[in-house]
Amino acid sequence: MFNKIYNNDARDILNFIHDKSITSTITSPPYFDMKDYESVNQIGFGQSYDEYINDLKVVFENIYKITKDDGTLWIIIDTFKKNGQVIPLPFDLVSKLVEIGWLLQDIIIWKKDKTVPWSGNGFVQRKFEYILFLSKSKSFKYHKDRVRIYDTSHLKKWWVKYPERYNPKGKALDEIWEYPIPTQGSWGEKYIRHFCPLPTDMVGTMIQLSTDEGDVVIDPFAGSGSVLSQASYMRRKYIGFELNISYIEMFEKYLESTLESGIRKYKLFVSGKDQNNFEHTILNLRAMKFAKIIIKTIKDILSINDFVVHVEIVGKSSVQYKLIKVKYIFIGNVNESQLAIILKETIAIPPLSKFGIEPIFEYQSFPPQNIINTNNFYGYTETNTYCTFSEVEYENLHPKAKIISSIKIELNENDYE
Ligand SMILES: C[S@@+](CC[C@H](N)C(=O)[O-])C[C@H]1O[C@@H](n2cnc3c(N)ncnc32)[C@H](O)[C@@H]1O
């Protein structure tokens, strides 16, 4: 039953699947009366709007019956213009879906380069489509931490100067998803000419969010099978329906030739390597910036400058809302009890209370006696804690060194102005 595309009408799904076995449906329905997919009985082409939308309702009603209670439905769909006015198809369809029992959870914007152009007067350039996200019940699979954005080229450069504002696992998705339409490079020229395949990363995001490995993903309007191949790479079972047999044949060849590389890419993703690197960098940045704020506070209140701060991450914190334990050793001419009072007050209020850091404070005179045993220390000025200016030694301390650590951060200052 699984891992195949049926060359059958999506309205007849119940003839093939009887049990509640589907976890997520991801699909882009045929366009209304705009595109001929070259098969008899196709939905959309040659139909009236009422026939079209009622047929879509039949398909999603049948799917509702075979969807598990924690299951979901993703529909990529757009408005269009007919007889000089906009037809709000996504919203008309939502009304039908809600009648069936689907619960509308979200409306996401898929921002792409261009879509099918509107003709006639009164149009601006088309740049997005809607993604409707619905669930069968109020309790549905939704793994939001898996799809956080930690590829730093997709983050605003502020993440470096304000690491405390970024979740160490990455930025949560927002309601605008930017994915270019697949180009020839990824799908091959022949494919692009025949279909409008969905971007693999976008489909991957939906699959990650709403399913687990081993779950079943269905696309009742499979087309090129972009949803189903992605599901297959991600160790989900898939089922498709598609009336045009030549599309199915092409999909089978495509899957065979891309399966290995698709699985490899997925494995790399779930290994969490890149996400771990991001987390590591954010926590390092926070630990160092924490020191910078402390130094500024002490200078403002006590007007002393005759000390350096040594920073080392000790480990994870077990205190509620704190992520890491960090040791801050004040080395130099400081009054320990006076400093302790200021530190206690400073770390209890924002911004430092929001850093997720459980600090441990120690005090030593210069030169330090039993500083952490490492050969390489990096120096930071009191204004820049995201780029070391050089390696430093306690025996011959660099005059610019105000913060010293074995943590090495080298993010180019000019990139983050
Ligand atoms: C917008 S395309 C899907 C594109 C697909 N998401 C992809 O990535 O290639 C819609 C598809 O639905 C198919 N279709 C139309 N009516 C159908 C029906 N009644 N049952 C099954 N498939 C149908 C068309 O042949 C077409 O391939």
Side-chain angles (χ1 to χ4, degrees):
M1 180 165 103
F2 302 122
N3 298 338
K4 63 181 279 192
I5 300 183
Y6 291 82
N7 184 211
N8 293 94
D9 194 315
R11 286 164 288 204
D12 298 333
I13 280 179
L14 295 184
N15 294 349
F16 302 88
I17 307 159
H18 315 287
D19 305 333
K20 272 193 198 174
S21 49
I22 309 299
T23 296
S24 199
T25 301
I26 302 175
T27 195
S28 55
Y31 290 108
F32 167 63
D33 205 20
M34 250 195 300
K35 194 165 169 174
D36 184 359
Y37 297 100
E38 292 162 1
S39 50
V40 273
N41 279 339
Q42 61 183 304
I43 294 177
F45 194 69
Q47 289 188 311
S48 72
Y49 187 61
D50 278 351
E51 280 166 351
Y52 169 67
I53 204 155
N54 283 327
D55 274 350
L56 292 182
K57 184 180 179 188
V58 169
V59 173
F60 294 117
E61 189 156 23
N62 289 339
I63 288 184
Y64 185 85
K65 292 179 185 154
I66 52 169
T67 295
K68 293 186 170 182
D69 294 342
D70 60 358
T72 46
L73 166 63
W74 300 87
I75 302 177
I76 296 116
I77 199 159
D78 203 3
T79 57
F80 60 93
K81 213 164 186 184
K82 186 96 181 164
N83 300 332
Q85 57 177 333
V86 174
I87 309 294
L89 170 60
F91 307 99
D92 290 346
L93 182 61
V94 163
S95 311
K96 299 277 181 194
L97 297 171
V98 169
E99 280 168 22
I100 296 166
W102 287 107
L103 308 176
L104 182 62
Q105 296 298 339
D106 214 342
I107 299 176
I108 295 159
I109 298 295
W110 168 25
K111 184 168 181 289
K112 50 189 192 174
D113 309 331
K114 54 181 181 300
T115 77
V116 178
W118 279 356
S119 56
N121 292 330
F123 71 88
V124 289
Q125 203 189 349
R126 309 294 292 141
K127 289 265 184 185
F128 76 83
E129 278 192 47
Y130 293 92
I131 301 174
L132 307 175
F133 178 56
L134 302 105
S135 66
K136 182 159 180 176
S137 72
K138 283 186 182 160
S139 160
F140 53 95
K141 286 195 181 182
Y142 195 72
H143 305 291
K144 71 175 191 314
D145 277 349
R146 284 193 195 156
V147 295
R148 288 182 174 275
I149 297 164
Y150 45 81
D151 174 349
T152 54
S153 63
H154 292 174
L155 295 176
K156 296 231 166 72
K157 55 188 177 179
W158 298 115
W159 70 272
V160 171
K161 284 192 173 174
Y162 297 95
E164 68 279 16
R165 295 185 192 168
Y166 285 79
N167 185 306
K169 298 264 179 228
K171 186 173 153 300
L173 281 186
D174 60 37
E175 61 192 357
I176 298 180
W177 293 7
E178 249 182 287
Y179 292 99
I181 299 169
T183 52
Q184 285 181 15
S186 51
W187 283 86
E189 197 188 341
K190 228 175 167 188
Y191 244 75
I192 294 299
R193 268 194 274 120
H194 281 78
F195 308 106
C196 321
L198 297 170
T200 50
D201 286 349
M202 184 170 90
V203 173
T205 298
M206 296 169 178
I207 294 175
Q208 275 298 343
L209 261 171
S210 58
T211 68
D212 293 299
E213 287 183 13
D215 285 346
V216 181
V217 173
I218 191 170
D219 184 348
F221 304 110
S224 66
S226 55
V227 169
L228 309 174
S229 49
Q230 191 59 33
S232 182
Y233 308 152
M234 296 170 72
R235 296 193 181 124
R236 275 68 170 173
K237 296 183 196 118
Y238 67 83
I239 303 175
F241 281 77
E242 172 55 58
L243 284 180
N244 190 325
I245 185 86
S246 63
Y247 295 2
I248 301 178
E249 285 162 1
M250 248 190 239
F251 161 77
E252 283 164 357
K253 279 200 203 109
Y254 179 78
L255 182 60
E256 201 183 323
S257 66
T258 57
L259 190 60
E260 213 173 292
S261 60
I263 291 175
R264 216 178 307 124
K265 192 175 165 203
Y266 172 65
K267 276 189 178 159
L268 187 72
F269 174 80
V270 286
S271 75
K273 213 171 120 223
D274 293 342
Q275 193 170 26
N276 290 345
N277 285 343
F278 180 76
E279 182 171 17
H280 187 71
T281 309
I282 284 283
L283 293 176
N284 280 347
L285 285 167
R286 286 193 191 187
M288 303 302 281
K289 186 176 171 184
F290 195 96
K292 172 176 129 175
I293 296 175
I294 286 177
I295 291 172
K296 183 170 183 313
T297 311
I298 293 171
K299 272 181 71 176
D300 287 352
I301 299 175
L302 298 178
S303 307
I304 58 165
N305 200 13
D306 199 7
F307 65 95
V308 296
V309 177
H310 188 105
V311 182
E312 294 299 341
I313 296 181
V314 187
K316 284 194 172 151
S317 170
S318 46
V319 176
Q320 198 185 16
Y321 303 126
K322 303 294 177 200
L323 302 168
I324 45 170
K325 220 185 255 188
V326 186
K327 194 181 265 189
Y328 295 93
I329 309 171
F330 293 83
I331 303 164
N333 197 6
V334 291
N335 178 329
E336 198 176 316
S337 48
Q338 199 178 30
L339 218 56
I341 295 169
I342 295 172
L343 291 173
K344 194 173 170 213
E345 282 172 7
T346 313
I347 64 169
I349 54 167
L352 292 188
S353 61
K354 305 249 185 224
F355 270 57
I357 288 177
E358 177 193 351
I360 303 164
F361 298 117
E362 286 184 9
Y363 308 89
Q364 288 195 31
S365 51
F366 198 88
Q369 294 308 302
N370 51 353
I371 206 81
I372 293 97
N373 186 16
T374 165
N375 295 328
N376 300 86
F377 291 133
Y378 301 93
Y380 299 83
T381 63
E382 58 195 282
T383 53
N384 180 347
T385 47
Y386 49 89
C387 185
T388 173
F389 61 84
S390 83
E391 250 179 73
V392 294
E393 297 164 348
Y394 274 105
E395 293 74 38
N396 183 15
L397 201 56
H398 195 291
K400 270 165 73 180
K402 195 69 192 166
I403 300 168
I404 296 160
S405 178
S406 62
I407 297 169
K408 185 180 184 185
I409 310 179
E410 272 184 312
L411 294 160
N412 187 352
E413 187 172 5
N414 297 332
D415 291 346
Y416 301 101
E417 297 279 82

